[in-house]
Amino acid sequence: MGTENFDQYREDTPGRANVADTPDRVAYYRQLQELGTGALWNVANKIEPWEPVSSSVPMLWRYEDLRGHVLKSLDLVTPEEAGRRVVYLENKGRADVVAAVGWLYSGLQTMAPGECASSHRHSASALRFIMEGSGAFTNVDGQKMTLGANDFVLTPNGTWHEHGVSEDGTICIWQDGLDIPLMNALEANFYEVHPDLQQAVSYPVDAATGTWAGAGLRPAGEQWTKRYSPLLKYEWAPTYEALQNYARVTDGSPYDGIMMDYVDPNTGGPVMQTIGASMQMLRPGEKTKAHRQTGSFVYQCAKGCGYSVINGQRFDWKERDIFVVPAWMYHEHANASDTEDACLFNFNDLPVMRALGLYREEALGENDGHQPTLSN
Amino acid sequence: MGTENFDQYREDTPGRANVADTPDRVAYYRQLQELGTGALWNVANKIEPWEPVSSSVPMLWRYEDLRGHVLKSLDLVTPEEAGRRVVYLENKGRADVVAAVGWLYSGLQTMAPGECASSHRHSASALRFIMEGSGAFTNVDGQKMTLGANDFVLTPNGTWHEHGVSEDGTICIWQDGLDIPLMNALEANFYEVHPDLQQAVSYPVDAATGTWAGAGLRPAGEQWTKRYSPLLKYEWAPTYEALQNYARVTDGSPYDGIMMDYVDPNTGGPVMQTIGASMQMLRPGEKTKAHRQTGSFVYQCAKGCGYSVINGQRFDWKERDIFVVPAWMYHEHANASDTEDACLFNFNDLPVMRALGLYREEALGENDGHQPTLSN
Amino acid sequence: MGTENFDQYREDTPGRANVADTPDRVAYYRQLQELGTGALWNVANKIEPWEPVSSSVPMLWRYEDLRGHVLKSLDLVTPEEAGRRVVYLENKGRADVVAAVGWLYSGLQTMAPGECASSHRHSASALRFIMEGSGAFTNVDGQKMTLGANDFVLTPNGTWHEHGVSEDGTICIWQDGLDIPLMNALEANFYEVHPDLQQAVSYPVDAATGTWAGAGLRPAGEQWTKRYSPLLKYEWAPTYEALQNYARVTDGSPYDGIMMDYVDPNTGGPVMQTIGASMQMLRPGEKTKAHRQTGSFVYQCAKGCGYSVINGQRFDWKERDIFVVPAWMYHEHANASDTEDACLFNFNDLPVMRALGLYREEALGENDGHQPTLSN
Amino acid sequence: MGTENFDQYREDTPGRANVADTPDRVAYYRQLQELGTGALWNVANKIEPWEPVSSSVPMLWRYEDLRGHVLKSLDLVTPEEAGRRVVYLENKGRADVVAAVGWLYSGLQTMAPGECASSHRHSASALRFIMEGSGAFTNVDGQKMTLGANDFVLTPNGTWHEHGVSEDGTICIWQDGLDIPLMNALEANFYEVHPDLQQAVSYPVDAATGTWAGAGLRPAGEQWTKRYSPLLKYEWAPTYEALQNYARVTDGSPYDGIMMDYVDPNTGGPVMQTIGASMQMLRPGEKTKAHRQTGSFVYQCAKGCGYSVINGQRFDWKERDIFVVPAWMYHEHANASDTEDACLFNFNDLPVMRALGLYREEALGENDGHQPTLSN
Ligand SMILES: [Fe+2]
Ligand SMILES: [Fe+2]
Ligand SMILES: [Fe+2]
Ligand SMILES: [Fe+2]
Ligand SMILES: [Fe+2]
Ligand SMILES: [Fe+2]
Ligand SMILES: [Fe+2]
Ligand SMILES: [Fe+2]
């Protein structure tokens, strides 16, 4: 703010600030600065934009590029040294907050058979989406869950958690998703290491799914007052089956094809208070139209191949590739196959948008709903 | 109230009314009567009992007794004449309000292949639990659903509905459950015949289950603001599977064994605002302990055989038998088999109790939780 | 049901039951009776009416008729003998359940200076509306509240309560309103006498109003999770002032004039789960139009004079008169004065109607919204 | 991230990252950078702190320092040029986002008689707290409200609003509070100028208070489904009276004295979804103990004088001074007078903390709850 030019955001529109610098005014602005203040009209047009312009950029990380590096970390660091052995994804526009997009963090974690990370908890909400390997498990507040490819599992805000791979498993890789950047931005991030470094298994293995995975059913007498889903683990097989069942009775969304949100069966609401997640299926040959939303998205291709156009830029993806859609950027998806379906997992901060009354959505009206793609 | 004795409810307990008739008082009471009034102390102990005493009695209806009579109605009346061809269950204590227990109505309905009842709607909430036959269907607000044995289906308050059996089906029998008596008692019962007598099928058949039967999943973008479950149909196979899954990870309830409530996946709450329903499984050899609850229950045995002790009276049941537990009566259940599980379906008015802040539950403390049974 | 005529409710309308008795059928009906069953078509049209027909009748009780009798009870019984010294209002159609209308009980209670009734609690929700006298008080769960004319005070479901008149007060009369009949009908009525017969005063007198009577304000840090209003007492002066303020900025309701519902400041919802209450002001000369609602109403004139037409019958009222409007009966109100406003207090069971999804309202379309009045 | 040192955040604690740079690792980190990725263990301890450390600093702005400069803006810019004539408060640690503290913006606005700013709307929620002058008004979605000193008024997310001073008023100054920085951070900020630049007055003046300011009362039949308070304006006189009433029946909070939250009478919840506000009274001589909370606070002294100790630093305040408490910093307040009470208004982002499950509070345990103050 030490610049000589105070009037750099002027707009010549009724209702907007439009005050030219004059010697009197500039003298006044300097006085204001000394008092820990400023003239709103010099920054009003900057801090009150007509619509959001995300500081993130659309990006795609190819799994074939990352996989080797992720595995290499097995040789470079132990889980004890590293806490967690993770390669994180860094958005070009968000390196300062270590975010993959917006306020969402994502990384790829790998563990070898017999390894187990120490137990801890934090304000950040976390999820895992399993990419490869067998024998992975997580323990959330004493609930041990076994994990396979395309399973989606929660470790909500404040829960003790640890994860590992069983002795008879194989090297595993999974995607971590967290809202660490948001928790830091909101100055509400607390962290604790478990006093025993490992926590006990207090329930039968996979008790959560045994208890809460009956559709339209809930265990009589079970109380659940926490504000995250008691189901904790969402397995791939029933998720994929649900998408196929839904496809038989719906035309789907013009923007997202056949899409289901993972929800808390106790409330019908999002799985956690600050992170939502969905799985969508693009039918053979399906090409969706473009829309944009407040909120940021991290996608992973769970099945098949195709491409997405984000803010006019085309990104081709296949299984395990990860890409991000920043807030209020148009995006549309296409399945590249005419015979196989393609599935995209995503996690997002829509629960934040909705809880604060900020969710908006807009379809692209022109060009039959499709963005002109820029040359790469 | 024309009796000479006004003081028949006296109790000699501090805090309770205890006013003996005297000539002065009786003269006074007669004056009050003429004014459309009365002295509270003469009725206070009657209208403020120490605890509820249900006007219903425990009863069991054996399917083998009823089945022939239900089928006989096929010859006696047409659906057109009868509206619905139903034999209703009449509680000895509730004949005045045509209730099976408390404020709950139940009946057995039969239809032959090719028959279809006319479409109508009412304030009473209704459900159907399929007992036998193939080809049954129901159409609720344009959603046609196919029905098989042990399927549970809703026709909520205010929805247009009709039901029938397809041409290629067999004679079907199902149990109807409604809160007609409650709607009449609350003076809120409205009834309408569909202007076209039949309604259109506006969705793919079984769209509700295709859309809403994914556990922990909800169709992205689908709005559902009605206060009853969009799932509408709860099929037997996934219900039974959920009970078995739950049994693997829980000890179950000492009073109810392995029990799941049917719920609205949109909210996690009861399927309708005035009627709840549950399915419970008694493991081989299981004998539960006694408890009592506010609220009335209509049970149907969906699988196996056993007995229940209700208010000290033993009722033996096997598949398709129906019995009722009146409010605040102790009840306990036993599976008669040491090798097969037994399943009991029930519907009840617990949502009313809970919505009005009246739900209470109490375990029997004495005799290790088991009622002494009276001789029959 | 021992009658020879089973077909007395036939209706010759498509979709309604219309089955004539025949010897075969009558023989069948007799067999059904022996099994604790019946043929639905014989009662369907009776238990599924086109619209509610209340079993209550509109009635008005003139205070000048009742007051002397109420006071006479001071000589006839002590509070210790009577529990509470109350003359209850008995609807001609509801004597069997001791209701003033529908499922609502009402009575006039009187106490002399220095008297105090014993403490107790029950499932029935209760309210008091003060009619005359000074020094009345009530103690609800340790919160002692002082009461004056037209004050409205709650004693919700499950709260310990006692009431009395201070030594330096005068003889007091107030109206009690309760849902005792509903609690009995729902078989959920429990009653307990306080182990000490009197309860302690655990808070500063009138703590509830001191804490919760700031409009648009709530005490920071106070937790309130109970499902009834923590305000407990609604005083007349601010209520009347609020009506006048509202009158300055609204045209009011064509059916109810200037009307405010008493609410729970913690939720904005009704004061108790099963009883609601309102105060309405008819401006000088105001005559409202007729409408009808599900739910029953007990009115007391708190100020002024006028008349109401209920189901075509005119009832003239003045201060302290009490009248009732049964469910689904048209009613309209008129202020008899062209210079003074008139105020009507009412309590009702609308919270039950709303909690169960049964609320309906309908305006009278014909005759400019006014009922033709029958000769008295 | 181009630094040679990757291991600058190491912690020698079990469960925390502790990986020393080695040539192999550094080479690996460089490869990761090229792929738009990084090694989590190098930043984990930084982005997962043990507890929040706010980037804001405690600050106080004295009104006597600011007032002259605020008034000077009357000569320097017109409302037409400036949009709004406001001097904003800039936290030393938050100049980049134009925040007074955390994600909260605040400014002092001045208008002269006859001036009126143009109508607009935005995603940011706003409030005004009147500091001096007469004749100020605001129009929110057609509801014109008159404003006096210490009145608190809302212009919620998405509402059209404009404000001004009537011709017969005096120069007015008020404090604006908004969450502009949060809306920008969440990339959800939209802005629109009203098509007519001014909006109509569609209701009687001060209709909101006439309708919704009855304590424990709500206008019968009025629907309000928006997620902000329909009361809109909270006047000083009833607020101060409520504080005094509350003081008579409570000991108050050890940390905040007599404190009331402004709430939405329709729900009992916060006035807007993203900003809360409270008024607290420190009784003569009162000195509170220290506590800390997630969430940021902007205070204005509304009455009296005293001081606050924030994170060990003492700030003396008197009427109209403004100061801020950053997240998770201990703070305690003292009234400097032994005869007069002192009142502090504050607005904050607690509704965000609560909606996202992030609210925490902690009392200072040591030193009898008082912070040692640092020398200034
Ligand atoms: Fe973690
Ligand atoms: Fe999309
Ligand atoms: Fe029906
Ligand atoms: Fe039970
Ligand atoms: Fe009582
Ligand atoms: Fe009315
Ligand atoms: Fe604005
Ligand atoms: Fe505080």
Side-chain angles (χ1 to χ4, degrees):
Chain A
M1 287 286 159
T3 173
E4 294 305 294
N5 266 37
F6 288 88
D7 62 357
Q8 55 185 306
Y9 299 107
R10 290 171 66 188
E11 288 182 36
D12 188 11
T13 305
R16 299 288 277 185
N18 188 12
V19 180
D21 285 352
T22 63
D24 274 10
R25 286 169 175 163
V26 168
Y28 177 69
Y29 300 153
R30 298 234 164 92
Q31 291 171 326
L32 291 184
Q33 283 177 330
E34 276 164 38
L35 292 164
T37 63
L40 176 60
W41 54 86
N42 286 332
V43 295
N45 297 341
K46 175 189 167 205
I47 67 177
E48 299 184 323
W50 295 97
E51 67 178 24
V53 181
S54 181
S55 64
S56 300
V57 297
M59 287 180 72
L60 180 145
W61 292 263
R62 283 188 298 182
Y63 193 52
E64 64 189 27
D65 294 340
L66 300 188
R67 188 174 182 274
H69 288 85
V70 171
L71 293 173
K72 190 172 174 191
S73 68
L74 289 162
D75 304 324
L76 284 172
V77 289
T78 64
E80 287 69 34
E81 290 171 307
R84 278 136 297 151
R85 204 194 275 114
V86 178
V87 171
Y88 68 83
L89 309 180
E90 186 178 277
N91 194 286
K92 280 188 181 58
R94 302 293 279 170
D96 53 340
V97 294
V98 190
V101 65
W103 297 105
L104 296 170
Y105 160 98
S106 190
L108 301 193
Q109 183 164 179
T110 187
M111 295 193 88
E115 287 184 348
C116 184
S118 57
S119 179
H120 62 281
R121 65 178 178 184
H122 38 64
S123 305
S125 291
L127 61 89
R128 248 156 288 289
F129 188 75
I130 310 304
M131 301 177 79
E132 64 171 86
S134 69
F137 65 86
T138 193
N139 182 344
V140 176
D141 275 348
Q143 299 211 51
K144 182 173 177 175
M145 289 166 278
T146 57
L147 302 168
N150 283 344
D151 285 356
F152 160 58
V153 66
L154 313 177
T155 54
N157 170 355
T159 54
W160 292 111
H161 57 283
E162 66 187 52
H163 32 262
V165 175
S166 66
E167 292 283 356
D168 60 353
T170 62
I171 289 173
C172 291
I173 301 180
W174 59 76
Q175 181 183 17
D176 289 329
L178 294 102
D179 58 2
I180 289 174
L182 182 64
M183 292 304 103
N184 287 328
L186 294 179
E187 303 186 335
N189 207 4
F190 294 84
Y191 191 93
E192 272 178 280
V193 174
H194 195 283
D196 306 329
L197 288 181
Q198 303 299 140
Q199 57 177 318
V201 176
S202 321
Y203 301 86
V205 171
D206 287 324
T209 42
T211 305
W212 290 96
L217 293 166
R218 68 176 290 154
E222 289 266 356
Q223 301 296 324
W224 187 262
T225 57
K226 290 171 183 162
R227 295 176 69 183
Y228 56 82
S229 170
L231 182 49
L232 292 173
K233 179 174 65 161
Y234 297 76
E235 295 179 357
W236 169 239
T239 302
Y240 185 61
E241 187 188 350
L243 288 170
Q244 290 174 305
N245 289 340
Y246 187 32
R248 276 194 278 273
V249 298
T250 185
D251 293 334
S253 153
Y255 314 109
D256 287 310
I258 304 300
M259 187 170 190
M260 290 244 168
D261 295 333
Y262 295 98
V263 293
D264 177 343
N266 190 52
T267 62
V271 290
M272 299 186 287
Q273 285 185 268
T274 50
I275 307 185
S278 307
M279 181 70 79
Q280 77 195 90
M281 180 170 75
L282 303 169
R283 288 157 292 191
E286 183 162 13
K287 286 183 176 44
T288 71
K289 297 188 174 185
H291 69 160
R292 56 181 179 178
Q293 296 152 284
T294 49
S296 303
F297 296 80
V298 179
Y299 287 84
Q300 182 184 137
C301 175
K303 180 170 184 293
C305 59
Y307 64 88
S308 299
V309 182
I310 307 167
N311 216 26
Q313 197 179 349
R314 174 173 165 157
F315 294 89
D316 288 88
W317 40 255
K318 60 176 186 292
E319 205 174 305
R320 301 299 158 223
D321 290 348
I322 293 173
F323 61 95
V324 296
V325 176
W328 208 239
M329 288 194 189
Y330 283 114
H331 57 281
E332 58 194 281
H333 308 295
N335 182 348
S337 165
D338 285 331
T339 54
E340 301 296 313
D341 53 46
C343 292
L344 293 173
F345 166 81
N346 80 69
F347 67 92
N348 55 65
D349 57 1
L350 296 186
V352 173
M353 294 297 122
R354 293 201 167 102
L356 304 182
L358 302 174
Y359 184 70
R360 284 206 199 189
E361 188 175 346
E362 191 173 80
L364 179 63
E366 35 199 60
N367 196 29
D368 197 28
H370 294 289
Q371 303 161 79
T373 43
L374 315 169
S375 57
N376 269 357
Chain B
M1 286 288 160
T3 173
E4 294 305 296
N5 267 37
F6 288 87
D7 61 359
Q8 56 186 304
Y9 299 107
R10 290 171 66 187
E11 288 182 37
D12 187 11
T13 305
R16 298 287 278 184
N18 188 13
V19 179
D21 285 353
T22 63
D24 274 9
R25 286 169 175 164
V26 167
Y28 176 69
Y29 301 152
R30 297 233 164 93
Q31 291 171 325
L32 290 183
Q33 284 178 330
E34 276 165 37
L35 292 164
T37 62
L40 176 60
W41 55 86
N42 285 333
V43 296
N45 297 340
K46 175 189 166 205
I47 67 177
E48 298 184 322
W50 295 97
E51 67 178 24
V53 181
S54 180
S55 64
S56 299
V57 297
M59 287 180 72
L60 180 144
W61 292 264
R62 285 189 297 183
Y63 193 52
E64 64 188 28
D65 294 342
L66 300 188
R67 188 174 182 273
H69 288 86
V70 171
L71 293 173
K72 190 172 175 190
S73 68
L74 289 162
D75 304 325
L76 284 172
V77 290
T78 64
E80 287 70 35
E81 290 171 307
R84 279 136 296 151
R85 204 194 275 114
V86 178
V87 171
Y88 68 84
L89 308 180
E90 185 179 278
N91 194 285
K92 281 188 179 58
R94 302 293 279 169
D96 53 340
V97 294
V98 190
V101 65
W103 297 106
L104 295 171
Y105 161 98
S106 189
L108 301 193
Q109 183 163 179
T110 188
M111 296 194 88
E115 288 185 348
C116 184
S118 57
S119 179
H120 62 280
R121 64 177 179 184
H122 38 63
S123 305
S125 292
L127 60 90
R128 249 156 287 290
F129 188 76
I130 309 306
M131 300 177 79
E132 64 172 85
S134 68
F137 65 86
T138 193
N139 182 344
V140 176
D141 275 347
Q143 300 211 52
K144 182 172 177 175
M145 290 166 278
T146 57
L147 301 167
N150 284 344
D151 285 356
F152 161 57
V153 66
L154 313 177
T155 54
N157 169 355
T159 54
W160 292 112
H161 57 283
E162 66 186 54
H163 32 261
V165 175
S166 65
E167 292 284 354
D168 59 354
T170 64
I171 290 173
C172 291
I173 302 180
W174 58 77
Q175 182 182 15
D176 288 330
L178 294 101
D179 58 2
I180 289 173
L182 182 65
M183 292 304 103
N184 287 329
L186 295 179
E187 303 185 334
N189 208 4
F190 294 83
Y191 192 92
E192 272 178 280
V193 173
H194 196 283
D196 305 329
L197 287 182
Q198 304 297 141
Q199 57 178 318
V201 176
S202 322
Y203 300 86
V205 171
D206 288 324
T209 42
T211 305
W212 289 96
L217 294 166
R218 68 176 290 153
E222 289 266 356
Q223 302 295 324
W224 187 264
T225 57
K226 290 171 182 162
R227 293 178 68 183
Y228 56 82
S229 170
L231 181 50
L232 292 173
K233 180 174 65 159
Y234 297 76
E235 295 180 357
W236 169 239
T239 301
Y240 185 61
E241 187 188 349
L243 289 169
Q244 290 175 303
N245 289 339
Y246 186 32
R248 276 194 279 273
V249 298
T250 185
D251 293 333
S253 152
Y255 314 108
D256 287 309
I258 304 301
M259 187 170 190
M260 289 246 169
D261 295 333
Y262 295 98
V263 293
D264 177 344
N266 190 51
T267 62
V271 290
M272 299 187 288
Q273 285 184 269
T274 50
I275 307 184
S278 308
M279 182 68 80
Q280 76 196 93
M281 180 170 75
L282 303 168
R283 288 156 293 191
E286 182 162 12
K287 286 182 176 46
T288 71
K289 297 189 174 187
H291 69 160
R292 56 182 179 178
Q293 296 152 284
T294 50
S296 303
F297 295 81
V298 179
Y299 287 85
Q300 182 184 137
C301 175
K303 181 169 184 293
C305 60
Y307 64 89
S308 299
V309 183
I310 307 167
N311 216 26
Q313 197 179 349
R314 173 172 165 157
F315 294 89
D316 287 87
W317 40 256
K318 60 176 187 293
E319 203 174 305
R320 301 298 158 226
D321 290 348
I322 294 172
F323 62 96
V324 296
V325 176
W328 209 238
M329 288 194 188
Y330 282 114
H331 57 280
E332 58 193 278
H333 309 295
N335 182 347
S337 166
D338 286 330
T339 55
E340 301 296 314
D341 52 47
C343 293
L344 293 172
F345 166 82
N346 81 69
F347 68 91
N348 55 66
D349 57 2
L350 296 187
V352 173
M353 295 297 122
R354 294 201 167 103
L356 303 182
L358 302 173
Y359 183 71
R360 284 208 201 188
E361 188 175 345
E362 191 173 80
L364 179 62
E366 34 197 63
N367 196 29
D368 196 29
H370 294 289
Q371 304 160 80
T373 44
L374 315 168
S375 57
N376 269 355
Chain C
M1 286 289 159
T3 174
E4 295 305 294
N5 265 37
F6 289 87
D7 62 358
Q8 56 185 304
Y9 299 107
R10 290 171 66 187
E11 287 181 37
D12 188 13
T13 304
R16 298 287 278 183
N18 188 13
V19 180
D21 285 353
T22 63
D24 274 10
R25 286 169 175 164
V26 167
Y28 176 69
Y29 301 153
R30 298 234 164 91
Q31 291 171 325
L32 290 184
Q33 284 178 330
E34 279 165 35
L35 292 165
T37 63
L40 176 61
W41 55 86
N42 285 332
V43 297
N45 297 340
K46 175 189 166 205
I47 66 177
E48 299 185 322
W50 296 98
E51 67 177 23
V53 181
S54 180
S55 64
S56 300
V57 297
M59 288 179 71
L60 181 145
W61 292 264
R62 284 190 296 183
Y63 193 53
E64 63 188 29
D65 294 342
L66 300 187
R67 188 173 182 274
H69 288 85
V70 170
L71 293 174
K72 190 172 174 190
S73 68
L74 288 163
D75 304 324
L76 283 173
V77 289
T78 65
E80 288 69 34
E81 290 170 307
R84 278 137 296 152
R85 204 193 274 114
V86 178
V87 171
Y88 69 83
L89 308 181
E90 185 178 279
N91 194 285
K92 282 188 179 60
R94 302 293 280 169
D96 53 339
V97 293
V98 190
V101 64
W103 297 106
L104 295 171
Y105 161 97
S106 190
L108 301 194
Q109 184 164 177
T110 188
M111 297 193 87
E115 287 184 348
C116 184
S118 56
S119 179
H120 62 279
R121 65 178 179 183
H122 38 64
S123 305
S125 292
L127 61 90
R128 248 156 289 288
F129 188 75
I130 311 305
M131 300 177 79
E132 63 172 86
S134 69
F137 64 85
T138 193
N139 182 345
V140 176
D141 275 349
Q143 300 210 52
K144 181 171 177 176
M145 290 166 278
T146 58
L147 301 168
N150 284 345
D151 284 356
F152 160 59
V153 65
L154 313 177
T155 54
N157 169 355
T159 54
W160 292 112
H161 57 282
E162 66 186 53
H163 31 261
V165 175
S166 65
E167 293 283 356
D168 59 353
T170 63
I171 290 174
C172 292
I173 301 181
W174 59 76
Q175 182 183 15
D176 289 331
L178 294 101
D179 58 1
I180 289 173
L182 182 64
M183 292 304 103
N184 287 329
L186 294 179
E187 303 185 335
N189 207 3
F190 294 83
Y191 191 92
E192 272 179 280
V193 173
H194 195 283
D196 305 328
L197 288 181
Q198 303 298 141
Q199 57 177 317
V201 176
S202 323
Y203 301 87
V205 170
D206 287 323
T209 41
T211 305
W212 290 96
L217 293 166
R218 67 177 290 155
E222 289 267 354
Q223 301 295 325
W224 187 261
T225 57
K226 290 171 183 163
R227 295 177 67 182
Y228 56 81
S229 170
L231 181 50
L232 292 173
K233 180 174 66 159
Y234 297 75
E235 295 179 357
W236 170 239
T239 301
Y240 185 60
E241 186 188 350
L243 288 169
Q244 290 174 304
N245 289 340
Y246 187 31
R248 276 194 279 273
V249 299
T250 184
D251 294 333
S253 152
Y255 313 108
D256 287 309
I258 304 300
M259 187 171 191
M260 289 245 170
D261 296 333
Y262 295 98
V263 293
D264 177 345
N266 190 50
T267 63
V271 289
M272 299 187 288
Q273 285 185 268
T274 50
I275 306 185
S278 309
M279 181 69 79
Q280 75 196 92
M281 180 171 75
L282 303 168
R283 288 156 291 190
E286 182 162 13
K287 286 183 176 45
T288 71
K289 298 189 174 186
H291 69 162
R292 57 183 179 177
Q293 297 152 283
T294 49
S296 303
F297 296 81
V298 179
Y299 287 85
Q300 182 185 137
C301 175
K303 180 169 185 294
C305 60
Y307 64 87
S308 299
V309 183
I310 307 167
N311 217 26
Q313 198 179 347
R314 173 173 166 158
F315 294 89
D316 288 85
W317 40 256
K318 60 175 186 293
E319 204 175 305
R320 302 296 159 226
D321 289 349
I322 294 172
F323 62 95
V324 296
V325 175
W328 208 238
M329 287 194 189
Y330 282 115
H331 57 280
E332 58 194 279
H333 308 295
N335 182 349
S337 166
D338 286 330
T339 54
E340 302 295 313
D341 53 46
C343 293
L344 293 172
F345 167 82
N346 81 68
F347 68 92
N348 55 66
D349 57 1
L350 296 186
V352 173
M353 294 298 122
R354 294 201 167 102
L356 304 182
L358 302 173
Y359 183 71
R360 284 207 201 188
E361 188 174 345
E362 192 174 80
L364 179 62
E366 38 199 58
N367 196 29
D368 196 28
H370 294 289
Q371 304 161 79
T373 43
L374 315 169
S375 57
N376 268 357
Chain D
M1 287 285 162
T3 174
E4 295 305 294
N5 267 37
F6 289 87
D7 61 358
Q8 56 186 305
Y9 299 107
R10 291 170 67 187
E11 288 181 37
D12 187 12
T13 305
R16 298 287 278 185
N18 188 12
V19 180
D21 285 353
T22 63
D24 273 9
R25 286 170 176 162
V26 168
Y28 177 68
Y29 301 154
R30 297 235 164 92
Q31 290 171 326
L32 290 184
Q33 283 178 331
E34 276 165 38
L35 291 164
T37 63
L40 176 60
W41 54 85
N42 286 332
V43 295
N45 297 340
K46 175 189 166 204
I47 67 177
E48 299 185 321
W50 295 97
E51 67 177 25
V53 181
S54 181
S55 63
S56 300
V57 296
M59 286 180 72
L60 180 145
W61 293 263
R62 284 189 296 183
Y63 193 51
E64 63 189 29
D65 294 341
L66 300 187
R67 189 174 181 274
H69 288 86
V70 171
L71 293 174
K72 188 171 175 192
S73 69
L74 288 162
D75 304 325
L76 284 172
V77 289
T78 64
E80 287 69 35
E81 291 170 306
R84 280 137 296 153
R85 203 194 277 115
V86 178
V87 170
Y88 68 83
L89 308 181
E90 185 179 278
N91 194 285
K92 281 188 179 60
R94 302 293 279 169
D96 53 339
V97 294
V98 191
V101 65
W103 298 105
L104 296 170
Y105 160 98
S106 190
L108 301 194
Q109 184 164 179
T110 188
M111 296 192 87
E115 287 184 347
C116 184
S118 57
S119 179
H120 62 281
R121 66 179 178 183
H122 38 64
S123 304
S125 291
L127 60 90
R128 247 156 289 289
F129 188 75
I130 310 305
M131 300 177 79
E132 63 172 84
S134 69
F137 64 86
T138 194
N139 182 344
V140 176
D141 276 348
Q143 300 211 52
K144 182 173 177 175
M145 290 166 279
T146 57
L147 300 168
N150 284 345
D151 284 357
F152 161 57
V153 66
L154 313 177
T155 55
N157 170 355
T159 55
W160 291 113
H161 57 282
E162 65 187 52
H163 32 262
V165 175
S166 66
E167 292 283 357
D168 59 354
T170 62
I171 289 174
C172 291
I173 301 180
W174 58 76
Q175 181 183 17
D176 288 330
L178 294 102
D179 58 1
I180 289 173
L182 182 65
M183 292 304 103
N184 287 329
L186 295 178
E187 303 185 335
N189 208 2
F190 294 83
Y191 191 92
E192 273 178 280
V193 174
H194 195 283
D196 305 331
L197 287 183
Q198 303 297 140
Q199 57 177 318
V201 176
S202 322
Y203 300 87
V205 171
D206 287 323
T209 41
T211 304
W212 290 96
L217 293 166
R218 68 178 288 154
E222 289 267 355
Q223 302 295 324
W224 187 263
T225 57
K226 291 171 183 162
R227 294 176 70 182
Y228 56 82
S229 170
L231 181 49
L232 293 174
K233 180 174 65 160
Y234 297 75
E235 295 179 358
W236 169 239
T239 301
Y240 185 61
E241 187 188 350
L243 288 170
Q244 290 174 303
N245 289 339
Y246 187 32
R248 276 195 278 275
V249 298
T250 185
D251 294 334
S253 152
Y255 313 109
D256 287 309
I258 304 301
M259 187 171 191
M260 290 247 169
D261 295 333
Y262 294 98
V263 293
D264 177 343
N266 190 52
T267 63
V271 290
M272 299 187 287
Q273 286 186 268
T274 50
I275 306 185
S278 308
M279 181 69 80
Q280 75 196 91
M281 181 171 75
L282 303 169
R283 289 156 292 192
E286 182 162 13
K287 286 182 175 44
T288 71
K289 297 189 174 187
H291 69 160
R292 56 183 179 177
Q293 296 152 285
T294 50
S296 303
F297 296 80
V298 179
Y299 288 84
Q300 182 183 137
C301 175
K303 180 169 184 295
C305 60
Y307 65 88
S308 299
V309 182
I310 307 167
N311 216 26
Q313 197 179 349
R314 174 173 164 156
F315 294 89
D316 287 87
W317 39 257
K318 61 176 186 293
E319 204 174 306
R320 302 299 158 225
D321 289 348
I322 294 173
F323 61 96
V324 296
V325 176
W328 208 239
M329 286 194 189
Y330 282 114
H331 57 280
E332 57 194 281
H333 308 295
N335 182 347
S337 165
D338 285 331
T339 54
E340 300 296 312
D341 53 46
C343 293
L344 293 173
F345 166 81
N346 80 69
F347 68 93
N348 55 65
D349 57 1
L350 296 187
V352 173
M353 295 297 122
R354 293 201 167 101
L356 303 182
L358 302 174
Y359 183 71
R360 284 206 200 189
E361 188 176 344
E362 192 174 80
L364 179 63
E366 33 197 64
N367 196 30
D368 196 28
H370 295 289
Q371 304 161 79
T373 43
L374 315 169
S375 56
N376 268 356

